[in-house]
Amino acid sequence: MNREDQVLAEDTSAFEPLYAGKAPIEGLGMRFGFAPWDIGEPQRSVMDLERAGGFTGPVLDAGCGRGAHAVYLSGRGYPVTGVDISPTAIDDARERARAQNADVEFMVADATRMDGVREGFRSVLDYGLYHCLDDDQRRVYAATVHRLCAEGATLQLFSFSETAPPGLPPAWLRVGRANLEANLSEHWRIIEIRETSSATRFTRAFLEEKRDAAPEGGVEFDPDALDEDDQGRILLPMWHVHAERV
């Protein structure tokens, strides 16, 4: 299958072509040439969390993508290792680190195994990785990051919630509280699960254009039902899970 023919869907992991702008996401009823979660800067919720003392180094950024959070945390003085399954994303992350003179170790690895990743992390940041895994992978992933972490380490996990309006994100990317508790609790003591939001590269105008161009019923979401930030970026509901290593 060509990269251009791949689709990021519930039963695939086509992140490599998606980062290269080649693969759509199944279930949205539209095509776009970008990774919608990659806003080119850290998410406000992560910056607020860091300012509130939510991280202790060294930090593992699991599913780091193009490295915005890893580079930000490095700039705030934390030793950081960023791991992602996409070589394209890791190449871009290394370039970002070079451009910002950030000392971050980036590695290509499957997050459920973390082959070659050292142990001893005091904090884990998962921004948008957990909801891309199936339940079997989620349980293995929870055990893997537990193995890599020191006693008393914290997990800061951000995942799409089931509270979003219909259509966006796709249903298979939405996670319930019970799912988080079931898959994490063997290795992590959940301290808090609270609601927050994530900025995307979507704008209301972009989504309206896609809706109007689609066949009737082809786009299931209503752009007017979605919130936006002060830069006009569409916000999607997220869970923020704060947990401690058992």
Side-chain angles (χ1 to χ4, degrees), residues 40-97:
E41 62 185 24
Q43 292 282 342
R44 183 171 300 174
S45 54
V46 173
M47 293 189 288
D48 289 345
L49 180 61
E50 188 280 323
R51 285 191 286 265
F55 296 99
T56 302
V59 179
L60 171 64
D61 186 354
C64 66
R66 290 190 168 112
H69 293 128
V71 170
Y72 168 74
L73 291 172
S74 176
R76 299 290 290 176
Y78 304 91
V80 183
T81 298
V83 177
D84 201 278
I85 198 170
S86 166
T88 295
I90 290 296
D91 285 346
D92 291 346
R94 288 170 176 155
E95 182 57 36
R96 170 180 264 131

Side-chain angles (χ1 to χ4, degrees), residues 4 14 62 66 71 118 123 126-127 143 154 156 163 232:
E4 290 80 356
R66 290 190 168 112
V71 170
R118 60 181 174 81
S123 302
D126 173 343
Y127 201 97
T154 58
Q156 306 287 0
T163 62

